[in-house]
Amino acid sequence: MKNLRPLSILALAVAFLPCALRAQTSGAFQVGDVLELHVTGVPSGDSSQFGSYVVDDHGMVSLPFSIQVKVAGMQPGQIQQAIESRYIEAGIYKHPVVDARKIRGKDVKFVTVIIKGGVKEPQRVLYTGDLTLITAINASGGWSDLPSNRIRLQRGRVVLIYNMLDIEHGKVIDPLVLPGDEITVGVPKPAEEH
């Protein structure tokens, strides 16, 4: 009988291990966690703007249309309600339905693209396979006051320069960006081009 007691405790520990692990990935969000959003109840073109977001050092996530939401310390259900409320209060959407989940550990398969310069929210943006130059800039809050319409895309040692207006007017295809790209918005023309 005495030998059964340690086995009973071991059996209970093994039985509750999956619950403990599940609670760890579905608990409150912290700095550095990845929030994945799926949004319905919005125009079809807008739903594709949502994706994965890293909780920044201030516990915030920056979402499309310059919406920022503090998510650190919140559960996924609370985050869903907070994001829905922010978009409704801002008059952007009437009936958004947000599905939020935390991605952790082996599920986190992301790399970033750096966006800086003339954007409202310079940051690292999570790379997705369909991320273009313009969608990356929009994920950083869009353009701020620009010294020029030039966008510098650095990919390793290669530097490409794009004109924002050419892309917007369809003269040039909005290029896909790759993991590790660095985008600088509003780059002035070199002196010899003036």
Side-chain angles (χ1 to χ4, degrees):
M1 284 300 244
K2 289 183 181 181
N3 289 341
L4 291 177
R5 188 176 182 115
L7 289 176
S8 299
I9 293 171
L10 180 61
L12 281 173
V14 170
F16 285 106
L17 184 61
C19 295
L21 292 175
R22 195 169 39 248
Q24 192 176 26
T25 58
S26 64
F29 277 74
Q30 301 172 12
V31 170
D33 283 344
V34 178
L35 169 66
E36 183 176 72
L37 294 179
H38 296 281
V39 181
T40 58
V42 300
S44 60
D46 287 0
S47 63
S48 65
Q49 292 187 37
F50 293 92
S52 300
Y53 305 88
V54 176
V55 180
D56 71 16
D57 293 339
H58 304 287
M60 307 285 286
V61 289
S62 298
L63 305 173
F65 304 105
S66 299
I67 298 291
Q68 289 194 317
V69 180
K70 184 167 181 111
V71 299
M74 297 174 76
Q75 299 290 330
Q78 295 170 310
I79 293 170
Q80 290 168 187
Q81 291 174 347
I83 293 171
E84 289 169 0
S85 295
R86 288 297 306 273
Y87 278 107
I88 292 169
E89 290 167 6
I92 297 170
Y93 302 124
K94 291 183 180 180
H95 307 288
V97 178
V98 175
D99 177 36
R101 74 179 194 106
K102 184 188 299 187
I103 305 175
R104 273 198 186 240
K106 64 179 182 173
D107 293 332
V108 179
K109 296 176 183 161
F110 69 91
V111 289
T112 59
V113 174
I114 299 170
I115 316 291
K116 60 185 183 177
V119 292
K120 293 178 183 170
E121 301 156 12
Q123 63 180 314
R124 291 181 182 269
V125 173
L126 286 175
Y127 171 78
T128 58
D130 61 349
L131 188 66
T132 66
L133 199 57
I134 299 301
T135 55
I137 291 167
N138 287 339
S140 294
W143 292 274
S144 60
D145 296 327
L146 297 176
S148 83
N149 294 324
R150 292 165 44 100
I151 303 167
R152 180 178 187 260
L153 172 64
Q154 182 167 349
R155 183 169 291 151
R157 294 182 183 172
V158 176
V159 175
L160 304 166
I161 302 292
Y162 292 91
N163 183 304
M164 172 182 66
L165 296 176
D166 288 347
I167 295 171
E168 285 185 336
H169 293 114
K171 294 179 182 176
V172 176
I173 294 174
D174 187 8
L176 288 172
V177 297
L178 297 176
D181 281 356
E182 188 170 304
I183 300 166
T184 307
V185 178
V187 178
K189 288 183 178 182
E192 63 270 7
E193 288 187 28
H194 289 288

